[in-house]
Amino acid sequence: MSSEWDEVAAAWDEAPTVRAYAAAAFESLVDLASMAGVDLDGARACDFGCGTGLLTDRLAERCASVDAIDTSPAMLAAVRAKIDDHRWVHVQTFDALPPAAEPYDVVVCSSVLSFVDDHPDTVADLTTRLRRGGLFVQWDWEAEPDDPDHAGLTRAAIECALADADLVGGTVEAAFTIEADGELMRPLCAWGLRR
């Protein structure tokens, strides 16, 4: 899968929709963290499926450390170019998810979990890497339950994955609205706290 992402990495940040999505996702994260009582200032964060690091860069402005993880070497090269000033950002590729040195306060997954082989297992694995009370947040496009070819995840699938991972206190709802190719799009935001 990484070769497909490698091919689009160079021009990824030029797309206005991509930049708007990252900005809106970060704003929703700030609101969620505040509501959930998780302080981003000084937090240990993981940006799982970081792409070119548009969200990683914003996290680096607030967090004490950020692990930026992706499968695409070209995407990760773009992250490295952005974070030269942030020595507390660690960029790494994965075949299997690498272990965290310490538990995370925050794990974010922006438009990535619909692309993993096993969404529920990935959410469960990421949750084990959170400290108790740590915040898990994912943003993904909503798939229609009766359209198996549509990209994204259904609300029901996301809710089941959160429950199976023993994440509590969260919701699955439309996060924000952005315009893409003349259409208004409302990605889902799902979040929960590790019990």
Side-chain angles (χ1 to χ4, degrees):
M1 176 167 59
S2 67
S3 64
E4 172 189 344
W5 294 107
D6 285 343
E7 291 171 13
V8 298
W12 190 254
D13 290 359
E14 295 171 16
T17 302
V18 170
R19 290 192 313 275
Y21 190 106
F26 185 72
E27 286 177 26
S28 70
L29 172 63
V30 169
D31 292 344
L32 283 173
S34 176
M35 182 180 65
V38 175
D39 191 358
L40 292 179
D41 295 323
R44 285 187 37 77
C46 174
D47 186 357
F48 180 78
C50 64
T52 61
L54 288 169
L55 187 55
T56 301
D57 194 41
R58 292 171 187 272
L59 287 166
E61 296 295 332
R62 299 276 306 264
C63 298
S65 70
V66 182
D67 287 349
I69 302 171
D70 206 285
T71 59
S72 165
M75 291 282 192
L76 291 173
V79 178
R80 285 185 183 94
K82 284 187 178 85
I83 54 91
D84 279 343
D85 293 338
H86 305 307
R87 288 188 217 109
W88 52 92
V89 176
H90 310 284
V91 180
Q92 51 196 331
T93 188
F94 69 92
D95 293 315
L97 189 60
E102 297 176 41
Y104 295 116
D105 300 298
V106 179
V107 171
V108 297
C109 309
S110 181
S111 292
V112 67
L113 293 180
S114 61
F115 296 102
V116 300
D117 291 335
D118 192 328
H119 168 240
D121 280 354
T122 302
V123 173
D125 189 11
L126 290 168
T127 298
T128 66
R129 294 156 194 280
L130 281 167
R131 67 166 172 80
R132 301 229 177 258
L135 177 64
F136 172 87
V137 183
Q138 86 175 76
W139 300 270
D140 269 295
W141 299 108
E142 184 172 11
E144 297 299 325
D146 57 350
D147 183 2
D149 296 328
H150 189 273
L153 295 165
T154 65
R155 287 177 190 241
I158 295 170
E159 288 168 353
C160 285
L162 294 180
D164 290 349
D166 208 21
L167 289 160
V168 297
T171 60
V172 179
E173 58 192 17
F176 46 81
T177 302
I178 60 170
E179 187 176 333
D181 299 325
E183 282 186 58
L184 290 180
M185 312 269 310
R186 293 174 181 83
L188 293 176
C189 177
W191 68 277
L193 299 170
R194 182 175 182 195
R195 188 186 304 270

